[in-house]
Amino acid sequence: MTTTTRFAPSPTGRLHVGNIRTALHNWFLARKSGGRFMLRIDDTDAARSRDEYVDAIRADLAWLGMEPDGEERQSERLALYEAAFERLRATGRVYPAYETSQELELKRKVQLGRGLPPIYDRGALALTDEERAAKEADGIAPHWRFKLDHDAPIAWDDGVRGSVKFDPAQLSDPVIRRADGSWLYMLPSAVDDIEMGVTDVLRGEDHVSNTAVQVQMFEALGAAPPRFAHEALLVGKEGKLSKRLGSLGCDAFRERGLEPEALVALLARLGTSQPVEPIADRQTLVESFDLSTFGRAPAKFDDSELDRLNAAIVHQMDYAHVSDRLPAGMDEAGWHTVRPNLATVGEAGDWWKLVTGPIEQPEFSDEDRAYLAQAAEALKWDEDPWGTLTGKLKEATGRKGKALFLPLRQALTGMNHGPDMGELLSLIGEAEAKNRLERSR
Ligand code: GLU
């Protein structure tokens, strides 16, 4: 069977770095085995789901270079859930329950007070037909629970966590449908995974107990469960899932001028035993992707690591890859000159101003002014103007090191540091270079 993974966001907000990571890992898993990566929009919650978020999710995936091979929307698949629900109802695997949330809360408090786990007591299953009829006659519409099979122990071999076991008697029968007929996450997700041919469900470890329930749902629906893997969650470097991290998405990264490749390289390996490296080549990351290298400890997201990776990736980028984002007039030689000094591609414009001018020179001492006048005289345009200039000046003045180079850099660029002077000087050109050296008199 073709490996099929899915990324299943709820369009109730923008993607944040945590869900981007889950999406990416599903994309890698599919690409590694030549399979399919599906986008499933979990929009059964009509009140909170927004089309604008669906569009934003698509745009973010496109920016990250992870376009899905297909897309489904849960709101368009309600008939499938209805059919599955009817099947489960006919076999007694779903049942109506009438407790109000206050009643349920009270039951939980009593259980906890007695030191018992707050597991649903199946009170609704104990109702007689008459009692049920009386509730309905009172106008109480039921919500619906999936009946776990207490005699069928739950176990799976998790791609990250290894062997996982659950005793179904220690779980509450989950509510799968509200009294108003709307769906909770659990059943539609299992129905879709079956219907869409999903072979691998890779998601956050906050879903482990959902998986336990869904394993029985797959079986009750006559399907073999997919392979499951639950990755440790992403946390900030302080060790918590901070509010900031929860709202940090592609827009923020784009605004900071970061390359999608940097984010992808970081999230591909963060929390695994493989080193995080500035790998811009997607295929290399796909080939090295391996669930067995995923650790159980939370993955720590560190912004400064992302910045470092971004710079390292920018330093490898070809002119063709960035040319449409560079300042007017900046050619391949210009790009190669400034590239090693960039933290983001956007900074290329700042360095390019050193070439195009105008530049602002510092105040020079009398001695340096004399030296720069000498430099203006000595400037000669040959194969290597910088090498020739500094060679001559060294001989003529006895200056060396900083005393030799810094006043020249300052006069020619207005800066104390920056790209290679040999390359910059060639880009500035003879007339302008002479002009700048003379101006510092
Ligand atoms: N919509 C669910 C969520 O965002 C999907 C979970 C899953 O991958 O099954 O948590």
Side-chain angles (χ1 to χ4, degrees), residues 9-82:
S10 305
T12 54
R14 297 295 304 255
L15 297 183
H16 57 71
V17 56
N19 5 90
I20 292 169
R21 174 170 168 257
T22 305
L24 186 67
H25 292 164
N26 276 286
W27 184 88
F28 277 132
L29 198 57
R31 287 291 166 272
K32 184 156 187 188
S33 52
R36 294 184 307 152
F37 166 69
M38 305 290 290
L39 174 61
R40 187 184 84 200
I41 302 292
D42 282 7
D43 58 351
T44 53
D45 184 345
R48 292 175 59 227
S49 299
R50 299 254 162 77
D51 271 346
E52 72 197 73
Y53 292 133
V54 177
D55 292 339
I57 289 166
R58 292 189 193 119
D60 286 349
L61 292 181
W63 183 67
L64 292 159
M66 318 193 272
E67 248 132 336
D69 301 308
E71 181 183 314
E72 297 291 349
R73 281 183 84 148
Q74 290 197 322
S75 58
E76 291 163 3
R77 300 165 64 82
L78 302 178
L80 285 169
Y81 313 144
E82 196 70 52

Side-chain angles (χ1 to χ4, degrees), residues 190-340:
V191 170
D192 288 338
D193 286 339
I194 297 169
E195 211 274 336
M196 290 165 64
V198 170
T199 58
D200 293 80
V201 171
L202 168 56
R203 55 191 177 189
E205 67 181 9
D206 49 332
H207 281 286
V208 169
S209 60
N210 290 339
T211 296
V213 166
Q214 286 174 328
V215 163
Q216 284 210 353
M217 280 183 185
F218 284 105
E219 284 158 1
L221 291 166
R227 282 183 290 269
F228 286 103
H230 296 85
E231 54 186 19
L233 299 181
L234 191 71
V235 296
K237 69 172 189 290
E238 33 339 296
K240 291 184 304 218
L241 183 71
S242 63
K243 224 176 156 179
R244 198 187 78 84
L245 211 55
S247 61
L248 193 59
C250 291
D251 269 0
F253 296 125
R254 242 187 319 244
E255 267 159 38
R256 252 163 68 193
L258 299 177
E259 304 300 314
E261 287 88 347
L263 189 61
V264 169
L266 177 64
L267 296 179
R269 300 258 179 104
L270 202 63
T272 76
S273 58
Q274 301 194 63
V276 171
E277 290 167 337
I279 301 173
D281 176 51
R282 201 60 73 90
Q283 199 49 35
T284 304
L285 292 173
V286 168
E287 276 155 25
S288 66
F289 182 79
D290 181 356
L291 279 181
S292 74
T293 64
F294 279 58
R296 296 283 297 269
K300 286 195 177 165
F301 180 84
D302 178 354
D303 255 333
S304 55
E305 197 173 7
L306 180 59
D307 289 331
R308 270 198 305 280
L309 271 183
N310 194 75
I313 280 180
V314 168
H315 300 167
Q316 308 165 23
M317 281 162 71
D318 288 339
Y319 176 67
H321 193 79
V322 293
S323 59
D324 57 341
R325 291 189 280 156
L326 298 181
M330 186 167 187
D331 58 6
E332 187 160 1
W335 169 244
H336 283 279
T337 299
V338 304
R339 192 174 69 165

